[in-house]
Amino acid sequence: MISSALRSRLPRDYRPLFERRGPFRRLLPAFAVSDLGDGMSVVAVAWLALQLAPPGGSGLLVGAAVAAYVLPGAAGGLLLGRWLRGLPARRLIRADAWTRAVLLGCVPLAWALGVLGPALYLALLAGSSLLHAWGSSAKYALVAEAVPPGQRLAANVLLSTSTWVATVAGPALAGALAVAVAPAWLIGLDALSFAVLAVLAVRSGRPDGRGEGREEEGREDGVAAAVAPPAGPRRSGEGLRVLRTRPGLLGLLALTWLFNLFYGPVEVALPLFVGQDLHAGPGLLGLYWTAFGLGAALGTLAVGALRLLPVWPMLLGIVAAHGLAMLPFALHGPSWPSVVGFALAGVVYGPYSALALSLFQDGVPPAALTAVLALRASVLLTAGPVGTALGGPLTALLGPRQVLAGAGLAMAAVAVGAAVVRVRSPARGRIPSPAGLLRQETR
């Protein structure tokens, strides 16, 4: 809860989001709790895989574990639409949260019983991610439904900031706790955070906090009406049909997919770089992710200063600068140059998600937004896992240092290639600028 005095001190763009009866104000803490749990799992999932891996198989198991934590969500996003597309956004959030809470909670239980092996570990991670494309898309669909167009970018910035602050606190907390407890228990804390999200999503369902018990009966007042999905076509493939008519958004999706693809090997190579090249432990791995998350949080909050710049040069510049910031990993010697470079990579990456999602929210009709965002999440969820799956054998072949620097060079090359395509494309200019998004409320 935020007081009136504190709300009055917030920047003007953020104040309406914290009105007393606003749904966003009640749900933001719930998302922040689950973000913190996921931030801890950035360290815990990979480190537990290292402990469970057979001799000589650490790179492959780390890559498989990171992929299992997200890849089935892509399949769920594509295959479960027939049953999930018509559900309200809040209900999708709850379904995803309970799935992750139960299955991730089985990891420390199996560890305590001495039955947690690589196969069971991967199966639990895979099951926990099955509904995550729908849960993620529902979060931003809820923002688009409950927040006026002129406030969406500010809402997206706060959600992204929550994610990056958790990326600061989560790995740091995980690195500190890993000294005293096994990483399996840290994954248990992640499970608990999603249980908290599921409970808070129920309690914040109506202005009086009593949940959504009567939503099925057609209640149309308060927040229940605000978060119900708009009426519209729900046919299979609706999201793809909408995107085909918007080449600018298709181009943005392709750029983001390639960006995520080349980021995938980083999640495999970084823990191996820390453990093998630097001969350090989970504390240093947590420091890397903390530096990245802190930089990303600062970069996200700076999006207001960037909102008048042309969107495509800004997005391409983010991809290129992120790649160049990875090059210090190629240096031999102390760890601090690569820590600083990783922090700078976070700074430039921070605004990317908020800006890209705002463009989708603004450029897609409300009736099709949930389907388009679910398709977007499903497509993007394939990129990182494919990258991590490639990262395992690449790291074993080339070494973690070379993979980290090579991923940076690949990102820079993607930005240059996309710039060339953008200049030659007749569709350029069809995506509005962030300034246009922020001016909508006054029109």
Side-chain angles (χ1 to χ4, degrees), residues 322 325-326 328-329 336-346:
H322 188 288
M326 297 290 295
F329 281 104
W336 69 263
S338 55
V339 172
V340 172
F342 209 44
L344 292 176

Side-chain angles (χ1 to χ4, degrees), residues 369-396:
L369 184 59
T370 300
V372 169
L373 289 180
L375 174 63
R376 175 186 181 273
S378 299
V379 171
L380 295 182
L381 279 174
T382 66
V386 169
T388 57
L390 294 174
L394 284 175
T395 302

Side-chain angles (χ1 to χ4, degrees), residues 62-121:
V62 170
V66 174
Y69 192 55
V70 292
L71 184 57
L78 294 172
L79 300 177
L80 300 179
R82 178 180 178 182
W83 298 277
L84 300 180
R85 189 177 293 113
L87 294 180
R90 195 184 308 275
R91 195 166 298 174
L92 290 171
I93 291 169
R94 290 205 309 265
D96 174 46
W98 279 125
T99 299
R100 289 173 85 79
V102 171
L103 293 178
L104 291 178
C106 290
V107 171
L109 178 62
W111 174 270
L113 295 175
V115 298
L116 185 65
L120 178 58
Y121 183 47

Side-chain angles (χ1 to χ4, degrees), residues 18 47 72 89 122 139 193 203 206 314 329 359 373 387 420 442:
F18 293 95
W47 211 257
L122 294 178
K139 177 166 67 173
S193 75
R203 297 186 62 184
R206 281 161 52 186
M314 185 161 40
F329 281 104
L359 297 178
L373 289 180
V420 172
T442 62

